Amino acid sequence: MNVLIADDEKDMLKILKVYFEREGFHVFQAEDGEEALTIFHSNKIDLAILDWMMPEISGLNVCKEIKSKSDTKVLMLTAKSENDDEFKALTIGADDFVRKPFHPGVLLARAKKLLRKEKIFHIKDISVDLEAKKIYKNDKDLNGTKTEFELMRCFINHKGSILTRKKLLDIVWGFDYFGEERTVDTHIRRLREKIGEGVITTHRGLGYSLEEEDE
């Protein structure tokens, strides 16, 4: 998995790079917020670890931008101790919050926990294997395309939310996609032909959402 670590403390970057690479992560590093966003927009980032106080653009604003464009997990680092600062970070979308100083091993464990996902997602007669990247209907492989799988994963990651065409394009096709938004409708129609009705709901004038997961 790709991890972006942004911190203006060079020694901290070096230490964290060693810890994460030992666990098989591909590490991108940035020393300020502007560089962090450049890396994010140019690569598929699974987790962003952001220092609260950085030159150019603050970690808080970097987090806000990342969350507006993707479902990338964000873990904030800060030396601050005020609870309202933590609340502010979580409110704009940060998934976790670690105060400095910390042991690198603890941060690694928190990061791995954030990235740990349930491997099989079930809804009605559909199963989505998030590790194998397969979609099944009544245990039969639907031979879904890469885009169809990514659409399903996007809906799973945003259960309970209505996703606009623009949001789906940003996450599945990439922020630099300049084609027609209606391409989303075409791919969802083809996906529905495979998985059936009643899994993805259309909200006219708003977007799409995943039906509630069966208990």
Side-chain angles (χ1 to χ4, degrees):
M1 287 189 171
N2 293 331
V3 175
L4 165 62
I5 305 175
D7 196 310
D8 58 352
E9 296 181 31
K10 293 183 179 180
D11 289 342
M12 175 69 71
L13 288 178
K14 290 178 182 178
I15 293 171
L16 293 180
K17 181 179 174 67
V18 170
Y19 270 80
F20 277 82
E21 287 187 340
R22 282 177 181 171
E23 293 296 314
F25 290 95
H26 182 213
V27 179
F28 294 89
Q29 295 178 295
E31 295 182 18
D32 60 60
E34 186 174 351
E35 183 181 9
L37 284 179
T38 297
I39 292 172
F40 166 74
H41 287 312
S42 303
N43 301 274
K44 169 61 177 172
I45 302 298
D46 299 292
L47 169 67
I49 299 174
L50 309 173
D51 185 33
W52 181 292
M53 298 297 291
M54 287 191 292
E56 306 300 334
I57 303 174
S58 71
L60 201 65
N61 285 329
V62 173
C63 174
K64 192 172 182 180
E65 171 71 8
I66 287 175
K67 284 300 187 179
S68 73
K69 298 292 185 182
S70 72
D71 55 7
T72 296
K73 299 291 185 182
V74 174
L75 191 157
M76 296 293 298
L77 303 177
T78 182
K80 293 177 177 289
S81 59
E82 296 296 327
N83 289 332
D84 59 338
D85 290 331
E86 179 175 350
F87 174 76
K88 186 175 182 180
L90 295 174
T91 298
I92 66 167
D95 299 281
D96 202 357
F97 198 99
V98 176
R99 291 190 175 95
K100 295 179 177 180
F102 56 81
H103 189 284
V106 172
L107 178 65
L108 177 61
R110 296 279 285 272
K112 290 169 74 173
K113 183 178 180 180
L114 273 182
L115 292 169
R116 193 178 301 129
K117 296 179 180 179
E118 186 177 338
K119 294 181 180 179
I120 307 294
F121 177 87
H122 302 279
I123 178 168
K124 301 185 185 299
D125 55 357
I126 301 299
S127 301
V128 182
D129 189 324
L130 297 169
E131 188 172 74
K133 299 184 178 181
K134 296 280 189 179
I135 304 172
Y136 300 89
K137 183 180 178 70
N138 294 321
D139 297 325
K140 180 182 178 181
D141 189 348
L142 296 179
N143 296 313
T145 66
K146 179 181 178 181
T147 299
E148 288 166 351
F149 171 78
E150 292 299 334
L151 279 169
M152 283 299 295
R153 176 157 62 180
C154 186
F155 284 122
I156 290 168
N157 287 339
H158 292 83
K159 286 183 296 182
S161 299
I162 297 175
L163 300 176
T164 64
R165 294 188 184 95
K166 180 64 168 59
K167 182 74 170 180
L168 288 166
L169 285 173
D170 285 344
I171 296 174
V172 177
W173 279 265
F175 81 100
D176 55 352
Y177 176 80
F178 294 108
E180 291 290 330
E181 287 191 357
R182 289 291 178 180
T183 191
V184 172
D185 301 335
T186 300
H187 283 274
I188 287 180
R189 174 176 54 78
R190 291 172 180 167
L191 178 57
R192 278 174 167 159
E193 289 173 356
K194 295 180 180 180
I195 64 176
E197 298 295 327
V199 178
I200 298 172
T201 300
T202 299
H203 301 268
R204 192 172 299 278
L206 297 175
Y208 299 95
S209 70
L210 193 69
E211 285 288 322
E212 290 296 321
E213 185 177 2
D214 291 341
E215 298 294 336

